[in-house]
Structure formats: structure tokens, C-alpha cells
Amino acid sequence: LVNSDDEGTRDAYNDKYYKLTADIDLSDIDPNEDGTGWVPIGKYRWPETPDYSFKGTFDGNHKIISGLYINRTGGFSGVFGQISEATIKNLGLTDVNVQGGNWSGGIAALALTGASIENCFVTGLVSGGQYVGGIAGFANGTASGDKVSIENCYSNLIVTSTGELGKSGGIAGSIQYGSINNCYTTGNIAGFQDAGGISGRVGSKSTIRNCAALNEKIIAPAGIGRIGVSSDYTGTDAFSNNIAFSGMKVVLDGTEQAISDGAADNKNG
């Protein structure tokens, strides 16, 4: 209904409160019957007129969605394709297999203005082109203060981005004008450009605080950090009180790196 081309239908449903009342198995769900699997809730449009974002509250009620399968080359792959001014909370995803194009995430492919994701976890595999994350592919708020937040979440995943500007992270592929707090990740991360245990790229006015990167391995040919990779516009307080697994293998352009500068307030934790 949120994906409807009828504006009245979208407006009637996309800003409501939804609560999951039972566990759900999506392993055999393929609405289009073409092998692409689950159809994400909320579609991307640029410019955002009409706006197909999910804007409501989805309360997973601490239930589990298992077997999510997506195989889409068009991008924007996740349970939710695009969310804005929305709250996703208390949701667990297990054994996901998301193979998307650009913008792929377990919970949401693209989290925009004022969106929050709270108390969620994802296990399995998420892969795509650019902006690939365990929880969100790209978390992108606004400079005016409508930030995106991801809190109290974790992932145990293989996360892989293969696009030319591919950014990958255990929580978010990239975050801009937003925050990631009290999260942790395990599993392996591979990026084409930037890769980090928590977020691949940490952009403008974004922060990562009180997080733990417990990943076994992070691989990238360019930017890399056990927590994340800061951009030229990241503030000096972007990283705070973060830790990382001391035995993590960090492989930059084919060469394993010896991490000697790890600290709670820098990209390596």
C-alpha cells in the first residue's frame, strides 16, 4: 500500500503505527514470481515527488522475520526500500540473503530525514553495489537538523559492496547528518572503496558512539577503519567511546595492516 501509485492510498497507510504480532518466515515469498523475492516497503524516487517513503512506525514487538530473500539489480533492497520521518524498532531478522544493487541494507536500504532504527538486529548476508550496510545501506539526514539515528542494534553478517564507490559497514554503509549509538557488529566486511566495522563512510556532522566492532575481517582497496572511515567533512568528535576486536584482520589493498593507533575516539577504536 505504501508503494501504491495512488497518492490517496499512500497517504492513508504510510504514516500509521504497525505492530508485528507473530514471527514470520519469508523464505518462500516472491510476490512477482520472478525470482527477485521480497518487494521492499517504500520506493525511492528522485526528486521525491511523489514521495513513496514509509513514514510510519513499525514495531517488531521483539518478533523475528526469518528467511528474507531479495535478488534485485535495481537497488534499494531491504525489508524497507526507503524510510523518512519513520521509526523501525524491536525487530529481528535472521538468515537474510539480500543481493541488491546500489543501496542495500537488512532493515532499510535508504533511511532519510528524521528516520530512526532502534533495538533491531540482522544475521545472514547483505551484498550490493554502493552503500551496503547490515542495518541500513545509507543513513542520510539533513544539514538543517533532521538527523537519522540508529541505536541499540547489532548485526552478525557478511557485508559486501562491489560498486566503484562501494561503501560497506556492519551497521551502515554510509552515514551523513546522523548518529549511530550503542551498536555492535560481528562477521566480515568487504568494501570497494570504504569499509568499516560500524560504518563504511562517516560523513558530515555524523557521530559513532559507544559501539563495538567485533568483526573477524575487514577488507577494502582504499579507505578502511575498524570502526569507520571519516570523510573530509567529518567533525573532530565523530568517534567517541568505541572499541574494536584487537584480533581483527584489517586488509588494505591486499596487505594486512598492523593497527597501532587504536583509540576510543578514532576510526580504529
Side-chain angles (χ1 to χ4, degrees), residues 56-120:
T57 296
F58 186 91
D59 183 354
N61 193 27
H62 305 288
K63 304 300 183 184
I64 303 296
I65 295 177
S66 61
L68 172 70
Y69 175 74
I70 299 175
N71 187 359
R72 309 168 67 87
T73 58
F76 301 98
S77 297
V79 173
F80 294 87
Q82 178 171 302
I83 63 175
S84 175
E85 300 172 359
T87 298
I88 314 299
K89 62 182 181 180
N90 307 326
L91 178 62
L93 306 180
T94 60
D95 299 322
V96 307
N97 184 354
V98 176
Q99 303 171 49
N102 296 333
W103 295 276
S104 295
I107 299 292
L110 187 58
L112 295 175
T113 306
S116 67
I117 302 174
E118 311 164 3
N119 304 321
C120 295

Side-chain angles (χ1 to χ4, degrees), residues 121-247:
F121 71 86
V122 182
T123 71
L125 178 151
V126 179
S127 64
Q130 301 179 32
Y131 305 108
V132 183
I135 300 295
F138 189 13
N140 187 22
T142 64
S144 62
D146 294 321
K147 292 190 173 184
V148 175
S149 66
I150 302 175
E151 297 186 351
N152 303 319
C153 294
Y154 76 87
S155 73
N156 180 6
L157 287 160
I158 297 173
V159 179
T160 305
S161 63
T162 58
E164 183 177 354
L165 301 177
K167 299 167 177 61
S168 58
I171 297 297
S174 180
I175 185 166
Q176 181 167 272
Y177 300 114
S179 62
I180 300 175
N181 299 320
N182 308 323
C183 295
Y184 76 89
T185 65
T186 62
N188 295 332
I189 312 294
F192 194 88
Q193 185 182 68
D194 294 331
I198 302 299
S199 181
R201 173 63 64 93
V202 184
S204 301
K205 296 184 179 179
S206 296
T207 58
I208 298 179
R209 294 174 177 162
N210 306 321
C211 292
L214 308 177
N215 313 84
E216 297 178 7
K217 182 185 293 186
I218 298 178
I219 302 173
I224 200 165
R226 293 194 303 197
I227 301 298
V229 180
S230 57
S231 72
D232 293 339
Y233 305 101
T234 307
T236 56
D237 62 345
F239 303 101
S240 177
N241 200 35
N242 302 305
I243 62 173
F245 172 42
S246 61

